[in-house]
């Protein structure tokens, strides 16, 4: 089944202690859409400026991503500039330029409105709700967010949580949002606010999935070579939702598998800057790493 994805589309400049790259394709929707495209057809909703490089449009097309909902406006594309420390879990935003994003108020193409699965990647909760309001009874809605919205848009974010089936956020965001130190308490608290499922990502420590009577903990893939962690969370959520959309059904086994596929795509993405690694990725690579995940986390008591 198809999946609608909205979020940011950006030209990212990223610096790590060993490498620096400028004006690469980024944004929450770009990462999520490309990761999801390995599982299911994607309808993208976003905005770019007239300066957006054509090769990046070709990259979306190469992944079969439907661009009917991609608006090109006069002006510059959204830009983000970030820097990582030696501990690549620590990131500092150096600058953000909203540019064409400032006036983004999308109207969905008619062909998008009945898309059964939806992933609202990180953008303001008002924009996420604006897109959702135009959808015709989607079957499963997943939303992501970030610290900025927790700090500045707490009420709209709480409203959004009452409208989605699943929320995906990282550990520090879960703590900040709920004011709980325990991630288990944080997950349980968020469940009470509306979503049926809460996924808490813990970076290189894996992730947790909470539901009312169900819990799943997955490890992260122990990678030796991490070049750029940008977009790992978006790839996780894109693949997680993309896999569920492909299956067309939600149950505990499928949710567990979706968490592992999310972790697999996130682990590949950090092996190169921008969407570099996902460009060479094959379904066979995904299957092989999925099997390694299975082996490395499987045990039985004798
Ligand atoms: P992640 O590493 O998963 O947190 O996502 C990184 C992506 O988020 C980058 O590609 C940025 O372009 C994008 N991003 C950064 N700040 C914002 C923001 N305020 N709104 C939407 N997207 C953003």
């Amino acid at each position: 089944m198809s999946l609608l994805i909205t979020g940011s589309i950006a030209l990212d400049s990223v610096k790590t202690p060993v490498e620096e790259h400028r004006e690469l394709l980024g944004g929450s929707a770009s990462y999520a859409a490309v990761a999801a495209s390995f599982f299911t057809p994607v309808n993208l909703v976003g905005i770019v400026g007239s300066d957006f490089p054509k090769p990046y449009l070709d990259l979306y097309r190469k992944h079969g991503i439907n661009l009917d909902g991609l608006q090109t406006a006069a002006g510059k594309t959204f830009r983000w500039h970030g820097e990582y420390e030696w501990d690549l879990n620590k990131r500092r935003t150096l600058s953000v330029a909203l540019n064409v994003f400032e006036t983004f108020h999308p109207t969905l193409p008619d062909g998008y409105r009945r898309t059964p699965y939806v992933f609202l990647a990180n953008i303001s909760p008002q924009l996420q709700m604006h897109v959702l309001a135009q959808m015709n009874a989607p079957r499963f809605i997943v939303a992501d967010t970030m610290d900025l919205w927790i700090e500045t848009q707490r009420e709209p974010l709480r409203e959004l949580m009452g409208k989605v089936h699943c929320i995906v956020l990282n550990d520090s965001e879960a703590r900040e949002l709920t004011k709980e130190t325990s991630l288990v308490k944080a997950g349980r608290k968020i469940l009470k606010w509306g979503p049926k499922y809460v996924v808490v990502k813990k970076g290189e420590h894996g992730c947790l999935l909470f539901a009312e009577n169900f819990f799943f903990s997955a490890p992260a893939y122990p990678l030796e070579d991490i070049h750029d962690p940008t977009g790992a969370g978006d790839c996780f959520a894109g693949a997680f939702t993309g896999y569920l959309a492909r299956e067309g059904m939600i149950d505990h086994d499928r949710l567990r598998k979706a968490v592992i596929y999310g972790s697999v795509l996130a682990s590949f993405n950090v092996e190169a800057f921008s969407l570099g690694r996902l460009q060479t990725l094959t379904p066979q690579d995904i299957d092989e790493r999925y099997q390694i995940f299975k082996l490395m986390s499987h045990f039985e008591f004798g």
Side-chain angles (χ1 to χ4, degrees), residues 13-17 19-20 80-95 228-230:
S13 295
V14 180
K15 189 173 186 299
T16 70
E19 266 177 286
E20 182 169 6
W80 175 77
H81 190 182
E83 181 178 27
Y84 290 89
E85 296 181 15
W86 280 104
D87 174 355
L88 293 175
N89 292 306
K90 296 196 176 129
R91 176 168 85 188
R92 216 156 50 95
T93 292
L94 300 175
S95 65
D228 175 15
T230 311

Side-chain angles (χ1 to χ4, degrees), residues 144-215:
D144 191 2
T145 192
M146 73 185 292
D147 51 0
L148 175 68
W149 314 122
I150 295 170
E151 285 150 23
T152 63
Q153 309 272 337
R154 192 170 271 269
E155 275 318 304
L157 194 55
R158 284 285 296 269
E159 191 184 335
L160 174 78
M161 277 189 247
K163 296 176 191 285
V164 304
H165 301 99
C166 177
I167 182 113
V168 178
L169 69 184
N170 70 33
D171 43 6
S172 62
E173 291 160 357
R175 291 191 171 106
E176 193 178 349
L177 181 65
T178 58
K179 305 202 189 307
E180 295 283 357
T181 50
S182 151
L183 289 180
V184 177
K185 282 189 179 161
R188 299 260 171 253
K189 199 177 221 180
I190 299 170
L191 282 177
K192 292 208 179 87
W193 295 340
K196 226 173 147 192
Y197 308 103
V198 176
V199 179
V200 180
K201 297 165 289 171
K202 300 184 292 169
E204 62 181 343
H205 304 296
C207 85
L208 303 169
L209 184 145
F210 299 93
E212 199 182 311
N213 297 309
F214 170 60
F215 173 76

Side-chain angles (χ1 to χ4, degrees), residues 68-283:
D68 291 351
L70 179 68
Q71 193 185 326
T72 303
K76 286 184 162 185
T77 302
F78 174 72
R79 275 164 173 79
W80 175 77
H81 190 182
E83 181 178 27
Y84 290 89
E85 296 181 15
W86 280 104
D87 174 355
L88 293 175
N89 292 306
K90 296 196 176 129
R91 176 168 85 188
R92 216 156 50 95
T93 292
L94 300 175
S95 65
V96 175
L98 290 177
N99 298 331
V100 291
F101 230 95
E102 230 154 339
T103 54
F104 186 44
H105 201 67
T107 301
L108 296 192
D110 285 341
Y112 275 29
R113 291 176 195 255
R114 288 185 179 276
T115 312
Y117 283 70
V118 178
F119 175 50
L120 305 167
N122 173 34
I123 37 168
S124 80
Q126 277 107 336
L127 261 178
Q128 289 172 314
M129 284 192 282
H130 172 74
V131 169
L132 205 50
Q134 298 173 60
M135 301 290 301
N136 197 327
R139 289 167 64 155
F140 197 69
I141 307 157
V142 179
D144 191 2
T145 192
M146 73 185 292
D147 51 0
L148 175 68
W149 314 122
I150 295 170
E151 285 150 23
T152 63
Q153 309 272 337
R154 192 170 271 269
E155 275 318 304
L157 194 55
R158 284 285 296 269
E159 191 184 335
L160 174 78
M161 277 189 247
K163 296 176 191 285
V164 304
H165 301 99
C166 177
I167 182 113
V168 178
L169 69 184
N170 70 33
D171 43 6
S172 62
E173 291 160 357
R175 291 191 171 106
E176 193 178 349
L177 181 65
T178 58
K179 305 202 189 307
E180 295 283 357
T181 50
S182 151
L183 289 180
V184 177
K185 282 189 179 161
R188 299 260 171 253
K189 199 177 221 180
I190 299 170
L191 282 177
K192 292 208 179 87
W193 295 340
K196 226 173 147 192
Y197 308 103
V198 176
V199 179
V200 180
K201 297 165 289 171
K202 300 184 292 169
E204 62 181 343
H205 304 296
C207 85
L208 303 169
L209 184 145
F210 299 93
E212 199 182 311
N213 297 309
F214 170 60
F215 173 76
F216 183 57
S217 170
Y221 187 77
L223 271 177
E224 268 178 51
D225 246 357
I226 302 181
H227 286 270
D228 175 15
T230 311
D234 309 311
C235 287
F236 173 93
F240 172 85
T241 320
Y243 169 76
L244 292 172
R246 184 177 80 187
E247 291 293 294
M249 221 191 286
I250 312 290
D251 57 30
H252 291 179
D253 272 355
R254 287 184 172 87
L255 285 163
R256 283 192 194 94
K257 285 186 188 166
V259 165
I260 301 298
Y261 278 117
S263 307
V264 166
L265 268 287
S267 74
F268 278 119
N269 184 61
V270 302
E271 290 179 2
F273 274 72
S274 182
L275 284 147
R277 180 63 183 95
L278 267 46
Q279 293 323 294
T280 56
L281 195 65
T282 64

